Amino acid sequence: MIIILYIAALIAAVAFAVLVIFLARTLTAVRRTMNNVADTLEGVEKQMEGITLETTELLNKTNKLAEDVGEKSQKLNTLVDGVKGIGDTVQEFNQSIRSVSKGLTQSAHENTDTAAQAMKWGQVAINLWKKAKKEETKS
């Protein structure tokens, strides 16, 4: 019976040795994998730092651009107000010209006879002046 006990102990020792060998192999593979994961994470961390810096720069540029657009929008509003003022002035000027034109037209209609007489008298005066010039050149 002692031999069986020794054989059982020997089988247990061999089984334990095989278990230790396989466990050592597994742990070695796990260590390699964990080292690779650690290296990969370090690379990702460095890339994230670069992305963070670029994102910060992009955000700053976007903020500056937004401020610039706001300022230019204010200037454009001022320009639009100025153009509107010019448009209002031109419209008032046009209304004044229409008013004066209506007044002249109405006055011309009212004084048509007087204007016709003035034209006749003007023509007579021009004819007399031409006659006088002819007589002066003949003399």
Side-chain angles (χ1 to χ4, degrees), residues 106-122:
Q106 190 176 15
S107 176
H109 282 297
E110 290 173 358
N111 297 319
T112 315
D113 295 332
T114 309
Q117 276 185 344
M119 290 292 288
K120 287 179 186 176
W121 283 108

Side-chain angles (χ1 to χ4, degrees), residues 15-82:
F16 186 72
V18 169
L19 179 67
V20 168
I21 291 171
F22 280 110
L23 190 60
R25 280 182 163 177
T26 303
L27 288 176
T28 304
V30 167
R31 182 174 38 141
R32 262 190 263 129
T33 303
M34 292 304 287
N35 285 338
N36 288 338
V37 168
D39 291 342
T40 302
L41 285 177
E42 285 179 17
V44 168
E45 185 178 337
K46 287 179 184 177
Q47 289 177 353
M48 288 302 293
E49 287 176 7
I51 290 172
T52 302
L53 291 174
E54 289 178 13
T55 304
T56 303
E57 286 180 31
L58 182 62
L59 184 61
N60 288 336
K61 287 180 182 178
T62 303
N63 287 340
K64 287 179 184 176
L65 182 63
E67 289 175 10
D68 189 41
V69 167
E71 290 173 7
K72 288 182 179 172
S73 175
Q74 285 291 355
K75 290 178 182 177
L76 186 62
N77 286 343
T78 304
L79 178 66
V80 168
D81 290 342

